[in-house]
Amino acid sequence: ANTGGGKSNFKVAYSVMTGDSPEGKSVWVMNADGSGAKELLKQASSPTFSPDGKLIAYYHWTDGIYLANADGTNPHKIVGETNAKYLAWSPDGKWIAFSSNPSGKDTGNINIDAVMPDGGQRRLIINGGSTPSWSSDGTRMAFWSCRGADCGLLIASSLGGDGGKLIAGEFGASPAWSPDGT
C-alpha cells in the first residue's frame, strides 16, 4: 500500500508466525525495498491495506476481524467471529470480504461474507467459498470452493445470489485479479 504519496512510501504488510499459540502470531510491515521491517500488531495475521493505504484490516487471533490505522494505532474490532480469515478490501474501500465460519468448527460450512469498515451491514456474498478476491471494478469475486465433486477457482457476482462458475479445477486456490480485471 502507498501510505503517504511517493514511491518511497510503499509498504508491505505480512504475517509472522512463531509457534501455534495466538501470542506467536503478529503483523509486520516493511518498505517495498525490504528495509525498515517492524512488528506492527500482536496476535494478528492476514493483513490487508485499504485501497487508499490509510487503514489495515487483519484477523486478531481468537476474537475476530480488526481495523487499525496503517501505522497500527487505534485498533478496534469490527467482526466478532473467532474463525474469520482471508480478508480482501473492495476496490472502492467500502467493503471487506472474508471467509466466514460462524460455527467455529473445522467441519462447518465456510462462506464469504462482507462487512463495511465500520462493522455495519454484514452480508453473505457466497454460500460455500473461501479466499475471496475482488475484481478491479468490484462487480465480481474470484474464490476457492467445491461444487459437488468439482473443486477449484470460481467467479461469481460480488452482489451475491450467484453460486459461481468454475474457471480452474483441481489445484486452483488463493486467486488474485490482474489490475485491469482481465
Side-chain angles (χ1 to χ4, degrees):
N2 185 345
T3 58
K7 287 189 177 193
S8 63
N9 291 323
F10 279 99
K11 302 282 185 189
V12 176
Y14 57 100
S15 299
V16 172
M17 298 182 195
T18 53
D20 293 331
S21 72
E23 291 75 23
K25 302 187 182 358
S26 58
V27 167
W28 286 59
V29 294
M30 69 177 161
N31 297 319
D33 66 4
S35 67
K38 67 177 182 175
E39 185 179 56
L40 189 69
L41 301 156
K42 294 184 181 296
Q43 294 187 11
S45 65
S46 302
T48 181
F49 283 108
S50 60
D52 65 7
K54 294 179 181 177
L55 300 170
I56 189 166
Y58 60 97
Y59 176 67
H60 187 264
W61 278 80
T62 72
D63 69 338
I65 297 174
Y66 276 60
L67 197 64
N69 294 327
D71 64 2
T73 60
N74 192 30
H76 56 281
K77 187 185 323 184
I78 62 170
V79 174
E81 186 175 309
T82 61
N83 212 0
K85 306 223 173 89
Y86 307 111
L87 315 178
W89 284 88
S90 64
D92 62 8
K94 293 181 179 177
W95 295 96
I96 301 168
F98 59 97
S99 297
S100 169
N101 185 351
S103 72
K105 299 176 184 172
D106 292 335
T107 59
N109 194 34
I110 298 173
N111 299 319
I112 297 173
D113 287 359
V115 66
M116 297 185 90
D118 66 2
Q121 298 188 32
R122 181 174 174 170
R123 64 186 173 99
L124 172 69
I125 297 178
I126 307 291
N127 188 8
S130 183
T131 63
S133 178
W134 298 85
S135 62
S136 59
D137 65 2
T139 63
R140 297 173 291 160
M141 185 162 290
F143 60 98
W144 180 90
S145 188
C146 292
R147 299 295 186 254
D150 295 323
C151 295
L153 297 181
L154 291 88
I155 292 181
S157 168
S158 63
L159 298 175
D162 175 2
K165 176 183 176 189
L166 185 69
I167 59 165
E170 300 288 328
F171 301 107
S174 300
W177 289 85
S178 62
D180 67 0
T182 60

